[in-house]
Amino acid sequence: MSQQVQDVETLFCHEIGDDYLVVVERDGERLFRAKLGISETSAGPRPTKFRIKRGSSEEPRQPDEFVELARRAERIRISEQTSPEGRAELTAMLDGYQLEAKTVRTCRYCASAGRYSPITTETAVKDGNDWICRDCARQELERQLSYTGEVTGAAKERLEELMLEVQDLERIVNLLKGQLDPDLTKFDTISATTDEVDPVPVDSLNLHPGVQNLLEDRFETLLPVQSLSVENGLFDGDDQLVVSATATGKTLVGEMAGINRVLNGKGKMLFLVPLVALANQKYGDFQEEYGHLVDVTLRVGASRINDDGERFDPGADVIVGTYEGIDHALRTGKDMGDIGTVVIDEVHTLKEDDRGHRLDGLISRLKYTCERRAEKRDDYGGSQWIYLSATVGNPEQLAGALESKLIEFEERPVPIERHVTFADGQEKVRVENKLVKREFDTKSSKGYRGQTIIFTNSRRRCHEISRKLEYSAAPYHAGLDHRRRKTVERKFADQDLAAVVTTAALAAGVDFPASQVVFDSLAMGIEWLSVQEFHQMLGRAGRPDYHDEGKVYVLVEPDCTYHNSMEMTEDEVAFKLLKGEMEPVMTRYDEDAAVEETLANVTVGSKAAKRLNDRMLGEVPTKHAVGKLLQYEFIDGFEPTPLGRVVTEHFLSPGEAFTLVDGIRKDAHPYDLVADIELRDADL
């Protein structure tokens, strides 16, 4: 004790009941704790009880030992947590020994645990009416998180950062309950940016009078990305990959080139999109904008069950279609005539596991078809290919693979604020309701009310959310018929809807001028979003002609997955998406994909199938795929067998084909066959 007494640095006193906790420290390390009792004497307050704490026991010592400790201490501190009466008693006792003490703010949790932990305005965290140290605040936050579910590293780091930034534990706990404190939910702002590009005057274009007059009636100058495209050979027939953010005008690049070539007799135009909803909308747009100049038709039939070809006219000037719709026409030998322009929108679909190989194969087969046609008739100079995307992680590499000129314009027309908050599945709808109401009750400087797109992971959830929102809302997904989708589109455009609730259909570019995007889920079906898909979806927030800014809210359910195959949880995924870099657009082939595309190439190109495989972006193991096709009896030499033709015309994988064949041999009911295929797909 004597050596310890000589080296005392701090003696700290904190009130506990009728007594005081005494903490003795040296070099920031605790030497021991003790309990001090004070009684009133004729000389004033004096120590009458002093016990050293050893684990759970207490060792009685002479009260004079406390006085000796206090005399040796370099400083004496009294906790601000001590009551005014207690501070007065301690001060009076120390005065009696000509000792001075200073009252300091300390962490209540540390003091109760026998630790001296002074805190300042800069280092303390508010906990109700008390202030606590950062370490205790982290522990208390951890305790609160345990009630919410397991919160993983990135989310926990984010919450700790916010807590230390705002110095208020209660506000962070409220955030976990779905409260929308904008200072806490805001993750970052993607600033509006404008690259310096000299705008091209529309009257300088010298296009066919039909399209020239139409453009001059609408614009004086082209937008920057359109100007870049024109200056880099758009009207010279150069193939281009145009990469630019949503709402920057890149779609018009394809329209200008295609319609101009149609009117100048250089072949028809194909405008291809990944989804039926997009094809329907684009078909309506073309009819409205160009229907007086050209014939427009629609090709979306790629159903496994039926393809009635309704509304499709292969002789039309402009064919708007889905990738599968046009590919189906190729696989079934339909003659679409001389194709002068091919516009492929959302070309980043090439990276998708399920559909990327089909787009890759379609491009190869369509180029082959166009080239064969051009060999017979060279008076329209072959085809021009224009690829469009808002999100590509490897634009230079992709442009090279597509043998096209890269037109890249990194502009964000309006800033986007990105927010993150936490809520469970039921709480999310309450939060969404508040967000939708707040946005719809706000008008931009351009006079438009704020409207919201809510992305979720299933059609059922679309209907559930839209029913529960207080303001006018509607579900929107591929399961709705064309008439209902068009009604939703019209009502949203007329500002009769505060929100639409959708699955992936809108991410690919259906034109809803929304100011706010809310992620009810970070999954689509049973797969987590990729960084590219996430950016594609959040890019729907904010339009320069309507809004001053865009807002994005990511609603995160800690410890949540939507299928047992998911390895990450939603809170992990959220910060991966917010901080992640865009994935490269690359097409990868497993055995089924290689077999499907090789069979389609044999069907379309016969002996040229290897050449079609070789020109595809992904590496297709042609020899292995051909071997499998022979083994499965899908081909005979370089021709598809009747079974192989059925398989390729209906986009069946080998496994699906054999499920059907086996069921037919067993005389299964058609409904059972469909159910078997759907269940098989669900298990993959």
Side-chain angles (χ1 to χ4, degrees), residues 47 82 99 102 114 142 185 230 249-250 264 308-309 335 358 432 443 484 504 524 555-556 564 608 640 669:
T82 299
L99 296 170
K102 183 178 180 180
E142 185 98 28
T185 59
V230 168
K250 61 184 175 296
N264 283 321
D308 56 16
D335 184 0
R358 287 182 180 164
E432 287 153 4
K443 276 191 177 182
R484 289 183 67 187
M524 283 297 150
L555 309 188
V556 178
N564 56 18
H669 191 281

Side-chain angles (χ1 to χ4, degrees), residues 138-152 156 159 173 176 558-559:
R138 289 188 183 95
Q139 292 174 18
E140 188 62 16
L141 176 61
E142 185 98 28
R143 189 174 67 83
Q144 294 288 347
L145 291 176
S146 68
Y147 300 145
T148 307
E150 185 179 345
V151 176
T152 50
K156 190 184 296 183
L159 290 169
V173 172
L176 288 167
D559 204 24

